[in-house]
Amino acid sequence: MSQSLELLLIQFLMPDNDARRQAEDQIKRLAKDPQVVPALIHHLRTAKTPNVRQLAAVLLRKKITGHWAKLSPQLRQLVKQSLIESITLEHRGEVTKDVISVIREYQTVTVIGLLCKITYKVKFRDFIPGILHAARQCLASGDEDVAVIAFEIFDELIESPAPLLGDSVKSIVQFSLEVCSNQNLDVSTRHQAIQIISWLAQYKYTSLKKYKLVMPVLQVICPMLAESSDRGDNEDLAPDRAAAKVIDTMALNLPKQVFQPVLEFASISCQNVDPKFREAAVTVLGVISEGCLELMRNDLKPVLQIVLGSLRDPEEMVRGAASFALGQFAEHLQPEIISHYEIVLPCILNALEDASNEVKEKSYYALAAFCENMGEEILSFIDPLMGKLLSALQNSPRNLQETCMSAIGSVASAAEQAFLPYAERVLELMKKLHGIVAMSVGRARMEPILPPYIEAAIAGFALEYSELREYTHGFFSNVAEILDDGFAKYLPHVVPLAFSSCNLDDGSAVDIDESDGDENANGFGGVSSDDEAHDEPRARNISVRTGVLDEKAAATQAVGLFALHTRTFYSPYLEETMQILVRHSIYFHEDVRLQAIIALKNVLIAAQAIFQSHADGSTKAKEFLDTVLNIYLKTMTEDDDKEVVAQACMGIADIVKDTGYTAIEAYMPQLVDATLVLLTEKSVCQQIESDSDIDDDDTAHDEVLMDAVSDLLPAFAKSMGPYFAPILAKLFSPLMKFAKASRPPQDRTMVIATLAKVAQNMGPPIAGYVDAVMPLALKELVSSDATNWRNAAFCVGEFCRNGGEVALKFYGDILRGLHPLFGESEPDDAVRDNAAGAVARMIMVHPEAIPLNQVLPVFLKALPIKEDHEESSAVYSCVCNLVLSSHPQVILPPKHVPTNYAIFFCLLEDSSTNLLLGL
């Protein structure tokens, strides 16, 4: 097939018209062969003649019309590049003369390539009015297929990093909203329009904000959630589902602009007589809960009122949506949502009795997500919970049993040892062990019964089911965590399975379903591009193995955990594992890269344990360390995914803490430079569109990423001590940019927490920063967020402890700022703990500057430390020092000293107690 097709492609390119027609006829016949697509891909990759590559690309593009987005990124890029090459210089004039005629004549991606090439002569935005006018004409005449090509153009341009759109974004959004809200148009046409809004929300969200387009978009998109749709073959094209994706993306990138309009829509729609609007009201709240988490945490009561009320709605669809929303809240609105457990859990328990299996399933999901983050609060509910869950596990359909098991796992995780009475029955009922249940009851009880489950899991690999393999790798990872080095005996069986999954083909193969029909039923039709409108019916089936990505990611995670938990026993697999992780650290998909970056640190820990006993161990260990650090450094500045970069930063911070300064000294200049790039927001993953005029201060950072970056500074300070001072001088100003009043609260508290830890580890040289940092910390003591109070209290304490005489002038303001945190109305024990820690540090360094007769009664009343036990050392050391020093102001009237503290003071005289407290 491959050789004959290549000859036909060459013949088709000949100037002889008869030869060309003969070649076209034969190409049409070959198109029915299921091997034609792999053959075209082969020629696309290997043909030496550019014209042959280009023709193969055109034919392949026509063959797979309608499935373009499903191709692997590498193959899609290859086709694009070859199509772009096929446009010659003489066609450029046609674009400027008549946009729509070129759109009709050439493949979309070819036009995009051409237009992007000529932007140095003509601004692309000048073409947009013509494209929009032509698209409106096509829609008016019923020619939707051609109008859709305009959306494909905008799709490609939005993904481009080049500033091609400018203020034309306004007209593109207006046109897209017109189309997506027009229910008379075909669902696929409307979907293309919604997709444009989605891409803008993802790639050009600052433009939506800049041109005040967020509200107009939400006013159209939110009501689309209430559209009725058939959940059939085109479920992914359903307007309500596509609208939800748009809102989710907008919430992630523009939470401040999205939350209030969505809450208003939900508040009004939950009272609508149309149940679809009531369903939309709770659905949209669940959808935005991840992106708008900070805002929703502070405004939970009205949100919960809508959702909990909807759990009692007479319509099944509304109750199901409410259960789903609660599950989303439980996942994203921690820890605030847990504080409402007394009203939320009974509502979920009632929903478990719903007459609808669909509502039950979503309620189990909500229960699982909610219980996962609970602690001892669950104990008062565990009997009714487990009664319903165990009953459902026995009597429900399989899909409900699976969701029920997830809920049981969450209950087990929250209840810990209190779950023991239920563990045996759960394991009897379930043929497949659930990892988290096993982890809850511990290794001693699980190790004897694990072998048959592991054997069954290994046997499952023979079923050739990618999703099963993915979950099995996760099961093995859980077992490794349970058994630790006891998992070593399973390594010869499970590691080769993980390697096999890691080494799977990338998934660019295409399968075309052969079917009977006329001559062109499965062919190309004419080879010229004006036949494109007729290609869609001929593309019967295309299968891109996207499940391979999830399997690769799970297997990559697994090998890292195997190495971490078995350490020296992992030695036979170390080299091959490292080769895989190096390869996966630059894999095209971020999910696999993420797991590789995490696994690299775990494998490094194992390598260091393995090489301790080798003669050349230090050399080999350094080789592994060098490899990992070089990958992490490259990832920090060059990877385009923020979560991957964040994991690299966390990996470096852990390595610095674990290995010490000597091991990483040679890398410090590079580490500092990479940290500086991230703090100045100039890394690849932080780049935003260059045509935006949004001020830097108005662009919120990615919280996960910058929190990870900020962890690097304390890690460096801990390893270097006072010698970190010159590096802090270099990083201080870029860090302080995040502390400006215009930045969101999470930015400011990040800075405060970072500098507090730096002060703790760097010591006296921090004195030079007291005047710059202390006013900021004092402001955060009166902020609206408890996390900010905690970090600010910790910060002022450490700056007083290490800041020397220069901190004394702030003592009065600090005590006044800390005093409200000791109040009876303060519900957060951790806040009081940090406030007590700050006072303790101040007393220890300058007791003469503290009015002890006023401060000590308040200070002692807050004890003992209840939540943040890291403050114990400072607090109890302070109390001990005061008592043992017989400071006159420590002798308080009896009413100021509770009985338990009187006993505590007596115990302090016993040296064994001092040892117990670590004093």
Side-chain angles (χ1 to χ4, degrees):
M1 159 67 79
S2 181
Q3 289 183 342
S4 60
L5 181 59
E6 183 173 15
L7 292 173
L8 288 173
L9 293 175
I10 295 171
Q11 184 177 341
F12 181 79
L13 294 168
M14 290 180 178
D16 187 321
N17 289 333
D18 290 337
R20 181 186 178 101
R21 279 193 296 272
Q22 290 176 8
E24 183 172 1
D25 290 340
Q26 292 186 57
I27 288 172
K28 289 180 182 179
R29 285 194 291 273
L30 283 176
K32 299 174 69 174
D33 191 317
Q35 295 301 313
V36 71
V37 171
L40 285 172
I41 293 173
H42 172 74
H43 293 306
L44 182 64
R45 287 171 167 161
T46 63
K48 295 181 180 179
T49 307
N51 289 343
V52 173
R53 292 199 305 272
Q54 292 156 13
L55 180 57
V58 172
L59 293 174
L60 181 62
R61 179 69 168 99
K62 291 172 67 57
K63 183 70 179 176
I64 60 177
T65 299
H67 303 278
W68 180 248
K70 297 179 183 178
L71 291 181
S72 71
Q74 301 102 317
L75 184 55
R76 184 173 175 176
Q77 184 60 35
L78 190 59
V79 177
K80 280 184 182 183
Q81 187 59 41
S82 295
L83 287 169
I84 290 170
E85 290 175 1
S86 69
I87 295 294
T88 53
L89 291 174
E90 62 266 22
H91 292 125
R92 293 184 178 178
E94 297 178 28
V95 179
T96 57
K97 291 176 185 176
D98 188 350
V99 172
I100 201 63
S101 66
V102 178
I103 291 176
R104 289 180 185 275
E105 181 64 23
Y106 296 102
Q107 298 291 333
T108 301
V109 289
T110 304
V111 178
I112 297 307
L114 171 62
L115 294 180
C116 289
K117 277 185 169 185
I118 65 173
T119 50
Y120 66 92
K121 289 186 177 180
V122 182
K123 288 185 178 179
F124 181 79
R125 62 197 65 169
D126 294 341
F127 292 103
I128 291 177
I131 295 174
L132 290 173
H133 176 70
R136 284 191 170 97
Q137 283 184 322
C138 293
L139 287 175
S141 64
D143 195 356
E144 293 185 31
D145 288 342
V146 177
V148 163
I149 296 177
F151 289 123
E152 293 188 17
I153 291 176
F154 298 145
D155 183 341
E156 296 289 338
L157 290 167
I158 290 166
E159 290 189 58
S160 170
L164 302 177
L165 296 178
D167 62 1
S168 61
V169 167
K170 292 185 288 187
S171 56
I172 292 173
V173 168
Q174 182 181 353
F175 175 63
S176 300
L177 293 176
E178 290 171 15
V179 173
C180 70
S181 60
N182 187 346
Q183 298 189 34
N184 295 321
L185 296 175
D186 185 80
V187 65
S188 62
T189 304
R190 297 179 66 200
H191 182 78
Q192 289 277 10
I194 299 172
Q195 196 64 37
I196 291 302
I197 304 295
S198 181
W199 289 144
L200 285 169
Q202 182 168 346
Y203 296 108
K204 306 286 183 184
Y205 54 88
T206 52
S207 291
L208 292 180
K209 180 179 177 181
K210 176 181 178 180
Y211 296 113
K212 295 180 170 48
L213 295 168
V214 175
M215 183 66 78
V217 168
L218 291 174
Q219 287 173 340
V220 171
I221 295 295
C222 284
M224 290 179 66
L225 292 172
E227 283 195 29
S228 297
S229 60
D230 296 328
R231 297 299 188 190
D233 293 338
N234 288 327
E235 184 174 349
D236 287 341
L237 300 181
D240 55 344
R241 171 170 287 201
K245 290 181 180 178
V246 171
I247 295 168
D248 182 28
T249 305
M250 293 180 69
L252 287 167
N253 291 318
L254 298 163
K256 290 182 180 178
Q257 287 69 39
V258 167
F259 178 63
Q260 281 302 327
V262 166
L263 182 58
E264 290 173 15
F265 169 80
S267 301
I268 295 170
S269 298
C270 71
Q271 305 173 51
N272 199 302
V273 294
D274 185 344
K276 283 292 294 181
F277 271 91
R278 299 201 301 274
E279 179 189 28
V282 283
T283 297
V284 76
L285 292 174
V287 165
I288 68 168
S289 61
E290 181 179 7
C292 297
L293 57 93
E294 292 295 340
L295 297 160
M296 292 187 81
R297 283 171 178 167
N298 298 326
D299 210 4
L300 258 179
K301 287 187 178 179
V303 172
L304 280 177
Q305 184 177 0
I306 294 171
V307 175
L308 295 179
S310 299
L311 280 175
R312 301 186 296 272
D313 195 279
E315 293 290 336
E316 172 189 330
M317 66 175 74
V318 182
R319 300 196 303 275
S323 294
F324 170 77
L326 275 180
Q328 291 290 289
F329 294 172
E331 283 193 28
H332 303 301
L333 304 183
Q334 298 294 341
E336 286 77 6
I337 186 69
I338 295 299
S339 64
H340 297 272
Y341 75 95
E342 291 179 324
I343 60 171
V344 174
L345 263 184
C347 291
I348 296 178
L349 284 170
N350 288 336
L352 296 179
E353 301 290 337
D354 200 278
S356 162
N357 279 344
E358 184 176 353
V359 175
K360 283 182 181 177
E361 184 174 4
K362 291 177 179 176
S363 299
Y364 283 127
Y365 155 69
L367 179 65
F370 195 83
C371 293
E372 187 173 351
N373 291 283
M374 291 185 73
E376 61 184 15
E377 304 97 338
I378 204 171
L379 298 181
S380 58
F381 289 91
I382 191 168
D383 283 336
L385 269 175
M386 288 306 300
K388 290 188 177 183
L389 290 171
L390 289 170
S391 174
L393 200 57
Q394 283 182 288
N395 305 313
S396 299
R398 181 175 175 179
N399 62 322
L400 279 181
Q401 287 179 328
E402 292 173 357
T403 314
C404 174
M405 190 58 207
S406 178
I408 290 175
S410 294
V411 173
S413 179
E416 295 183 347
Q417 291 299 309
F419 187 78
L420 280 174
Y422 311 96
E424 184 176 353
R425 189 176 173 198
V426 169
L427 294 176
E428 286 175 359
L429 289 171
M430 294 301 295
K431 296 298 182 184
K432 184 177 179 181
L433 186 65
H434 194 289
I436 198 164
V437 173
M439 290 165 66
S440 297
V441 299
R443 174 176 176 175
R445 288 181 173 84
M446 295 310 305
E447 191 165 12
I449 63 173
L450 275 174
Y453 294 102
I454 293 176
E455 289 173 13
I458 292 171
F461 271 77
L463 299 177
E464 291 299 322
Y465 182 30
S466 184
E467 189 174 14
L468 177 61
R469 293 196 298 267
E470 174 199 345
Y471 290 129
T472 304
H473 289 311
F475 168 70
F476 290 150
S477 297
N478 284 335
V479 173
E481 187 172 352
I482 296 166
L483 300 185
D484 225 32
D485 59 358
F487 189 73
K489 59 178 172 288
Y490 298 110
L491 290 178
H493 307 287
V494 301
V495 173
L497 297 176
F499 284 171
S500 177
S501 294
C502 286
N503 293 324
L504 281 171
D505 179 73
D506 287 344
S508 59
V510 182
D511 300 322
I512 302 297
D513 210 10
E514 187 174 8
S515 58
D516 296 331
D518 60 29
E519 182 181 21
N520 290 326
N522 207 18
F524 297 111
V527 185
S528 60
S529 58
D530 56 4
D531 283 334
E532 182 178 358
H534 304 289
D535 284 343
E536 180 63 25
R538 292 193 293 273
R540 298 298 182 191
N541 180 44
I542 187 166
S543 175
V544 180
R545 299 196 298 274
T546 53
V548 169
L549 294 174
D550 296 329
E551 184 180 341
K552 276 178 176 283
T556 305
Q557 178 189 48
V559 294
L561 290 171
F562 297 164
L564 177 66
H565 292 292
T566 61
R567 305 288 175 97
T568 56
F569 295 102
Y570 199 75
S571 179
Y573 315 101
L574 192 64
E575 292 290 344
E576 187 171 354
T577 298
M578 200 63 176
Q579 292 170 10
I580 289 171
L581 296 182
V582 170
R583 189 168 70 246
H584 282 187
S585 70
I586 54 172
Y587 194 77
F588 76 89
H589 198 280
E590 62 274 11
D591 287 353
V592 177
R593 296 201 308 276
L594 178 67
Q595 294 305 330
I597 293 299
I598 296 171
L600 278 167
K601 184 188 71 177
N602 292 335
V603 171
L604 178 62
I605 292 171
Q608 290 169 335
I610 290 167
F611 294 132
Q612 278 182 349
S613 58
H614 287 208
D616 60 344
S618 59
T619 302
K620 294 291 292 182
K622 186 178 185 306
E623 289 176 5
F624 271 73
L625 177 64
D626 290 344
T627 300
V628 173
L629 286 177
N630 281 315
I631 289 173
Y632 281 172
L633 281 164
K634 184 178 178 67
T635 299
M636 286 172 70
T637 55
E638 297 182 17
D639 199 289
D640 61 4
D641 185 83
K642 291 180 178 179
E643 191 174 357
V644 175
V645 175
Q647 283 294 339
C649 293
M650 288 188 276
I652 288 174
D654 288 340
I655 289 171
V656 172
K657 293 173 189 173
D658 294 342
T659 62
Y661 179 70
T662 303
I664 52 95
E665 182 177 5
Y667 284 92
M668 279 307 299
Q670 295 167 266
L671 290 170
V672 172
D673 288 345
T675 304
L676 187 60
V677 169
L678 286 162
L679 284 176
T680 54
E681 299 180 288
K682 293 179 180 178
S683 73
V684 171
C685 72
Q686 295 168 307
Q687 297 308 299
I688 60 173
E689 56 195 282
S690 57
D691 58 349
S692 171
D693 295 328
I694 303 297
D695 182 53
D696 283 345
D697 288 345
D698 200 34
T699 305
H701 77 268
D702 183 283
E703 187 175 355
V704 173
L705 172 61
M706 292 313 300
D707 283 351
V709 174
S710 65
D711 284 343
L712 290 169
L713 278 70
F716 297 158
K718 186 173 183 178
S719 70
M720 300 178 69
Y723 298 102
F724 180 66
I727 295 176
L728 180 61
K730 188 175 183 179
L731 301 177
F732 183 75
S733 293
L735 177 67
M736 288 297 287
K737 181 186 73 171
F738 294 96
K740 293 181 179 179
S742 58
R743 305 293 296 202
Q746 62 266 30
D747 285 29
R748 299 195 301 273
T749 199
M750 173 197 78
V751 174
I752 290 297
T754 300
L755 291 172
K757 293 173 186 174
V758 169
Q760 183 182 44
N761 294 315
M762 191 171 78
I766 202 68
Y769 299 91
V770 169
D771 287 334
V773 175
M774 200 68 84
L776 172 64
L778 289 170
K779 286 182 182 178
E780 291 305 296
L781 282 175
V782 293
S783 78
S784 59
D785 190 276
T787 301
N788 292 47
W789 302 339
R790 289 185 59 186
N791 288 332
F794 177 48
C795 184
V796 295
E798 286 298 340
F799 268 74
C800 286
R801 185 169 75 94
N802 293 296
E805 300 294 325
V806 70
L808 277 171
K809 61 189 175 189
F810 293 101
Y811 267 44
D813 290 335
I814 293 171
L815 290 174
R816 283 187 289 272
L818 290 173
H819 186 264
L821 306 188
F822 289 96
E824 296 284 350
S825 60
E826 174 51 56
D828 192 333
D829 289 331
V831 169
R832 272 193 296 272
D833 292 345
N834 284 106
V839 170
R841 290 174 176 88
M842 295 169 72
I843 293 173
M844 283 194 289
V845 291
H846 285 293
E848 77 286 352
I850 304 291
L852 290 177
N853 59 331
Q854 300 174 40
V855 171
L856 280 180
V858 178
F859 172 66
L860 294 173
K861 191 175 181 181
L863 303 185
I865 296 297
K866 299 177 180 66
E867 184 171 329
D868 191 346
H869 295 287
E870 290 186 7
E871 296 289 359
S872 297
S873 176
V875 168
Y876 297 136
S877 294
C878 172
V879 173
C880 182
N881 289 341
L882 286 171
V883 172
L884 297 179
S885 67
S886 301
H887 197 288
Q889 290 180 316
V890 178
I891 304 173
L892 303 172
K895 66 179 180 179
H896 290 305
V897 186
T899 303
N900 57 326
Y901 289 109
I903 296 171
F904 173 70
F905 291 154
C906 293
L907 288 174
L908 284 175
E909 297 177 5
D910 184 352
S911 61
S912 62
T913 306
N914 291 343
L915 291 172
L916 179 66
L917 294 170
L919 300 175

